Amino acid sequence: MKQDNQFLMALDQGTTSSRAIIFNKKGQIVSSAQKDFEQIFPQSGWVEHDPGEIWTSQASVATEAITRAKISAHQIAGIGITNQRETTIIWDRNTGEPIFNAIVWQDRRTASFCNSLKDKGHADMVRDKTGLIIDAYFSGTKIKWILDHVDGARERARKGELCFGTVDSWLVWKMTAGAAHITDITNASRTMIFNIHERKWDEELLALLDIPKEILPAVKSSSEVYGTTSGDLLSAKIPIAGIAGDQQAALFGQLCTEPGMAKTTYGTGCFLVMNTGNKPVKSNNQLLTTIAWQLGDEVNYALEGSVFIGGAAIQWLRDGISVIKDARDSKKMAESLDDNGGVYFVPALTGLGAPYWDQDARGAFFGITRGTSRAHMVRAGLEAIAYQVHDVLKAMEKDAGEETKEMRVDGGATANDFLMQFQSDLNQCEIKRPAIIETTALGAAYLAGLAIGFWEDLDEIRALWKADESFKPEKDKKEMEKNLKYWHKAVDRSLNWLTD
Ligand code: ADP
């Protein structure tokens, strides 16, 4: 299995596209392929995908990536999967036909049901068992919705005629031609019906949502052989050997394998995940407690928090108010100033998430004077991304009782060196940007490679991970504290904007 002509394939099934990336033994990208698929919006707040298209797009990019790498399918030693989390699919166990479209994580159709669960006082119980805050985001209420709305579905589920799965389960089912109905524990931990302490589906939660247990997949670790491709795909029998939800895969791909290590993905929003080791940490700051991965019998837990408007602040400066032409110009403009000139931007364009949690907050610029220029607004936009990430990280540190020594980063906005340096100054910790920024796919490949001996152990993988750039604090802590004081004053003034 260790020959140099062997490769690993990561399938990265995202919200808007399916991707396949082939890695060599050095963890380098050999080839990749990507295909967008349809977003279905049946009504306001609803988002669906066609499970058939999820599968066909994923299968076609897998084939394309192999062709582009100029290798044969037999040279793929194993497949790792990472996927959009929480998205819910139910299909017929006999025919393999979905009984409804996939209900996507963003879908809000079960929001009022979730509110009724909260009103009935279930929040603490759900939080204690699952680490999650009751929300339409997670799979549980989506399963219930399909069982409630498709004729005869619950009865058929009870008889064992239906299968539920998140996207990982669906892909494994399709790839193995129905031989395996499984999910990995990271995906299970996002369903709101899985007990993260006992590591099993929870009877009380299943009863609360009226979900028959016959519909559930077997829960597996994140790194083991779940089955082999049936040969219909890629004309070879390839072991499927690693699975993790996208954020967890990124944490693993960044090799944040020790407690206290954290990664942040700077995309449209910013997604922070911190490894808390083998203990689940209950948050006092409304962060989520989740499973980072399971290797062998060992489970690693994580804290997770999101910033709604991250890179999107720059997008808005560009497309919304035309202050810049290109996101890349933001670095130069910010650096043209010695400091922020006292200008702060609170990008509460859709309310504020962790750790402020205020749906009624709205965006605002503060500290504007006659001397304020476009550059100040752009700099305030970039700084705002960093302030928000800082505040979530501090909340995590408080919950975990541990200070972060370094943060690893990925995502589109990490191309901005000003932002990265400012983040390092603010956090007073080192920021490492990896050479391979496809950390999500890399994480899935690492998990699969470990299971099949493509890589011996974590140490071998750690030796592969390379930082492209490292940013160390250059500014004085006191100076940054002054900035933070004004930032928090600005946040305070934007809170409750819509409240009477
Ligand atoms: P997503 O996966 O959420 O679509 P990406 O990881 O592709 O996001 O990152 C895109 C985001 O990063 C956009 O919101 C964009 O405004 C921002 N971005 C891209 N390049 C830069 C840059 N040089 N400086 C600041 N922000 C940037």
Side-chain angles (χ1 to χ4, degrees):
M1 195 61 76
K2 292 196 72 181
Q3 304 93 321
D4 284 342
N5 61 357
Q6 295 276 307
F7 301 88
L8 281 179
M9 180 154 64
L11 303 181
D12 182 358
Q13 207 303 306
T15 308
T16 57
S17 75
S18 296
R19 303 194 313 144
I21 301 186
I22 294 178
F23 292 94
N24 64 17
K25 277 229 23 146
K26 291 183 183 150
Q28 297 160 329
I29 294 174
V30 176
S31 73
S32 67
Q34 174 164 359
K35 196 171 173 141
D36 290 347
F37 56 85
E38 192 188 355
Q39 306 292 311
I40 303 165
F41 305 108
Q43 14 177 315
S44 157
W46 293 28
V47 189
E48 296 177 5
H49 293 156
D50 171 0
E53 203 187 350
I54 288 181
W55 164 241
T56 51
S57 60
Q58 194 64 71
S60 76
V61 291
T63 310
E64 198 179 329
I66 289 174
T67 310
R68 285 193 183 167
K70 300 194 174 65
I71 60 174
S72 104
H74 297 278
Q75 288 172 268
I76 304 289
I79 293 176
I81 297 174
T82 178
N83 56 288
Q84 50 165 322
R85 303 177 302 175
E86 297 106 10
T87 296
T88 298
I89 306 174
I90 297 181
W91 65 93
D92 183 304
R93 196 181 291 278
N94 289 316
T95 65
E97 283 300 313
I99 65 164
F100 199 78
N101 271 344
I103 302 187
V104 178
W105 57 273
Q106 299 152 323
D107 190 291
R108 304 303 303 169
R109 79 185 66 188
T110 60
S112 61
F113 177 71
C114 287
N115 286 338
S116 76
L117 289 178
K118 285 187 224 162
D119 291 345
K120 286 182 195 142
H122 294 300
D124 285 346
M125 182 268 287
V126 169
R127 169 140 224 154
D128 287 343
K129 291 184 168 198
T130 67
L132 306 175
I133 294 166
I134 294 177
D135 196 276
Y137 190 49
F138 306 109
S139 317
T141 60
K142 299 183 198 289
I143 304 174
K144 175 177 162 39
W145 191 95
I146 297 176
L147 296 180
D148 286 345
H149 289 83
V150 176
D151 252 2
R154 188 165 277 102
E155 194 45 39
R156 294 181 62 206
R158 257 188 211 111
K159 288 198 217 140
E161 293 172 15
L162 300 180
C163 297
F164 150 72
T166 37
V167 169
D168 56 313
S169 310
W170 171 242
L171 292 179
V172 172
W173 172 273
K174 294 300 276 183
M175 283 195 277
T176 61
H181 181 212
I182 60 103
T183 188
D184 102 291
I185 196 161
T186 69
N187 278 291
S189 77
R190 315 294 298 186
T191 57
M192 220 174 83
I193 49 174
F194 187 76
N195 187 313
I196 60 169
H197 311 278
E198 295 171 7
R199 301 193 220 162
K200 57 179 197 210
W201 300 115
D202 190 273
E203 302 274 354
E204 188 182 2
L205 291 169
L206 291 172
L208 185 65
L209 299 181
D210 200 4
I211 299 173
K213 62 178 181 306
E214 291 77 10
I215 201 172
L216 301 170
V219 180
K220 302 283 185 182
S221 77
S222 317
S223 178
E224 65 179 275
V225 177
Y226 314 102
T228 53
T229 53
S230 68
D232 301 338
L233 172 74
L234 309 173
S235 70
K237 291 199 177 303
I238 306 169
I240 305 160
I243 301 178
D246 51 15
Q247 292 306 315
Q248 285 94 333
L251 189 71
F252 199 71
Q254 290 273 26
L255 287 170
C256 293
T257 51
E258 302 295 325
M261 290 182 82
K263 74 91 201 169
T264 300
T265 301
Y266 293 76
T268 307
C270 295
F271 302 92
L272 283 85
V273 187
M274 179 192 275
N275 186 338
T276 62
N278 56 15
K279 60 173 199 299
V281 171
K282 192 173 167 186
S283 174
N284 294 315
N285 294 290
Q286 298 262 63
L287 302 172
L288 304 177
T289 307
T290 201
I291 292 179
W293 52 75
Q294 179 182 341
L295 297 178
D297 199 37
E298 193 134 323
V299 168
N300 250 77
Y301 292 89
L303 279 170
E304 181 176 319
S306 311
V307 169
F308 299 150
I309 303 287
I314 304 305
Q315 239 164 17
W316 175 75
L317 287 169
R318 186 192 60 194
D319 307 336
I321 56 170
S322 307
V323 168
I324 42 171
K325 282 210 181 65
D326 189 312
R328 280 170 297 192
D329 298 342
S330 61
K331 172 182 179 284
K332 217 170 47 220
M333 287 175 81
E335 283 174 346
S336 72
L337 303 168
D338 289 336
D339 56 36
N340 65 18
V343 178
Y344 290 82
F345 174 44
V346 182
L349 310 183
T350 56
L352 285 172
Y356 330 100
W357 295 108
D358 183 3
Q359 302 188 55
D360 292 334
R362 281 300 176 269
F365 278 95
F366 292 92
I368 295 175
T369 63
R370 293 275 306 251
T372 300
S373 65
R374 284 193 310 139
H376 286 104
M377 298 179 89
V378 172
R379 180 160 174 149
L382 289 172
E383 287 193 3
I385 300 173
Y387 293 130
Q388 295 179 95
V389 167
H390 167 273
D391 287 354
V392 177
L393 192 72
K394 288 294 149 193
M396 282 183 173
E397 288 179 352
K398 226 190 271 168
D399 283 335
E402 196 149 6
E403 278 210 0
T404 323
K405 280 161 219 70
E406 73 173 49
M407 188 172 82
R408 298 187 171 183
V409 299
D410 50 61
T414 61
N416 192 311
D417 286 1
F418 170 82
L419 174 60
M420 295 297 101
Q421 184 57 51
F422 190 78
Q423 189 77 70
S424 171
D425 289 332
L426 207 54
N427 293 10
Q428 293 285 304
C429 80
E430 189 173 358
I431 305 283
K432 281 190 179 158
R433 187 171 62 195
I436 294 193
I437 53 165
E438 297 287 359
T439 53
T440 309
L442 194 56
Y446 285 161
L447 288 167
L450 281 174
I452 56 171
F454 189 80
W455 291 299
E456 262 337 297
D457 51 24
L458 265 175
D459 283 339
E460 189 181 346
I461 291 177
R462 279 194 195 100
L464 299 174
W465 194 91
K466 279 193 201 73
D468 150 60
E469 194 88 52
S470 157
F471 300 85
K472 294 200 176 112
E474 287 174 357
K475 290 246 166 68
D476 187 48
K477 194 172 169 194
K478 284 235 166 57
E479 190 184 334
M480 299 320 281
E481 276 168 359
K482 200 177 95 203
N483 282 41
L484 279 166
K485 196 180 90 191
Y486 277 102
W487 158 254
H488 288 131
K489 208 155 129 180
V491 169
D492 273 347
R493 290 184 184 188
S494 68
L495 295 178
N496 298 314
W497 180 254
L498 298 182
T499 319
D500 287 334

